[in-house]
């Protein structure tokens, strides 16, 4: 089962910041938080990941709370092309110590003109 | 960037036939590749993890004799759906990680329709 919970859907106005929340209250100390997005009928696209520090790249910023139980993905200036399903994922270790991504249902973000 | 390709992008086959899907890392060497399946309006489900030169590790409930995975080189993994049935119709997606990193880069997916 996924270790994250996200809102089912969100709306954002074009040009504004999109803030996508994620709860991962059972995350362990060595488990990273990954964000991907998937546009309809395409493969997922990597956005960003982090462990405990805030991270920023050319696509987005990731804010992780101090207790690591939640995080927020920020798209600073959303465009229509950012309309997609956004997945917040905790990378876990299975019984064989293999690292895996367990996917939930994500947040369907609609950027409106 | 890290580019992963899949071929074919879509395939339609008759029930009982086998279908092979290729996954290639185009600009990096991938020691580990993953195969996922996604049904409509559902999330990705991991089918198996494949390390170059060794047998794939299948997730619980995934039949290894039905979904044959070969990872013969650092840039190519194949998934063969044997004796396909209509319930195998799905979106199959592969991903790959660079050596010594955990970030998975995904291919564009293959839409399989079994008639």
């Amino acid at each position: 089962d996924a270790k994250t919970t996200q809102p089912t859907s969100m709306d954002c106005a074009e040009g504004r910041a999109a803030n996508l929340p994620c709860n991962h209250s059972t995350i362990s100390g060595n488990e990273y938080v990954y964000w991907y997005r998937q546009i309809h009928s395409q493969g997922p696209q990597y956005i960003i990941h982090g462990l405990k520090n805030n991270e920023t790249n050319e696509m987005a910023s990731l804010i992780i709370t101090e207790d690591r139980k939640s995080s927020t993905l920020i798209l600073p200036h959303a465009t229509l092309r950012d309309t997609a399903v956004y997945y917040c994922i905790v990378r876990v270790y299975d019984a064989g110590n293999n690292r895996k991504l367990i996917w939930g249902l994500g947040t369907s973000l609609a950027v409106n003109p | 960037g890290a580019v992963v390709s899949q071929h074919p992008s879509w395939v339609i086959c008759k029930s009982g036939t086998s279908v092979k899907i290729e996954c290639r890392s185009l600009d990096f060497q991938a020691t580990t590749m993953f195969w996922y399946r996604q049904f409509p309006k559902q999330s990705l489900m991991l089918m198996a993890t494949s390390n170059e030169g060794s047998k794939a590790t299948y997730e619980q409930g995934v039949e290894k004799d039905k979904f044959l995975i070969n990872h013969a080189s650092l840039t190519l993994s194949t998934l063969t759906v044997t004796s396909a049935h209509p319930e195998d119709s799905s979106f199959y997606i592969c991903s790959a990680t660079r050596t010594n990193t955990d970030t998975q880069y995904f291919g564009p997916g293959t839409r399989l329709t079994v008639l």
Side-chain angles (χ1 to χ4, degrees), chain B residues 71-103:
Chain B
H71 190 168
S73 78
L74 285 172
T75 59
L76 173 65
S77 176
T78 60
L79 168 68
T80 301
V81 183
T82 62
S83 187
H85 288 96
E87 57 266 31
D88 298 323
S89 297
S90 189
F91 192 50
Y92 291 86
I93 314 170
C94 73
S95 69
T97 58
R98 299 175 188 267
T99 304
N100 295 326
T101 69
D102 289 327
T103 299

Side-chain angles (χ1 to χ4, degrees), chain B residues 19-112:
Chain B
V19 174
K20 179 185 283 188
I21 302 170
E22 292 186 350
C23 176
R24 294 181 185 272
S25 57
L26 299 184
D27 55 356
F28 66 100
Q29 292 188 328
T31 48
T32 305
M33 288 185 167
F34 302 82
W35 286 96
Y36 293 83
R37 181 166 54 178
Q38 185 176 33
F39 292 107
K41 298 190 184 300
Q42 295 187 21
S43 191
L44 280 74
M45 290 187 59
L46 179 65
M47 299 176 68
T49 302
S50 169
N51 290 300
E52 185 263 339
S54 61
K55 290 183 178 180
T57 302
Y58 289 81
E59 294 300 298
Q60 192 172 8
V62 178
E63 299 174 57
K64 62 181 180 181
D65 295 329
K66 180 170 182 61
F67 298 99
L68 301 178
I69 292 173
N70 183 277
H71 190 168
S73 78
L74 285 172
T75 59
L76 173 65
S77 176
T78 60
L79 168 68
T80 301
V81 183
T82 62
S83 187
H85 288 96
E87 57 266 31
D88 298 323
S89 297
S90 189
F91 192 50
Y92 291 86
I93 314 170
C94 73
S95 69
T97 58
R98 299 175 188 267
T99 304
N100 295 326
T101 69
D102 289 327
T103 299
Q104 294 183 31
Y105 296 95
F106 285 80
T110 297
R111 176 78 56 193
L112 170 63

Side-chain angles (χ1 to χ4, degrees), chain A residues 49-107:
Chain A
H49 74 282
L51 182 62
K52 54 183 179 181
N53 296 323
N54 297 337
E55 302 288 344
T56 296
N57 63 21
E58 64 278 4
M59 289 185 69
S61 294
L62 174 61
I63 309 298
I64 303 174
T65 58
E66 195 167 338
D67 63 8
R68 302 215 317 126
K69 293 185 176 181
S70 65
S71 60
T72 301
L73 179 74
I74 301 172
L75 307 178
H77 305 286
T79 70
L80 299 179
R81 286 178 293 182
D82 292 322
T83 293
V85 178
Y86 286 76
Y87 294 96
C88 169
I89 304 159
V90 171
R91 191 203 69 197
V92 301
Y93 290 84
D94 66 11
N97 208 36
N98 298 307
R99 288 166 284 205
K100 300 193 299 189
L101 302 178
I102 307 300
W103 299 68
L105 291 175
T107 295

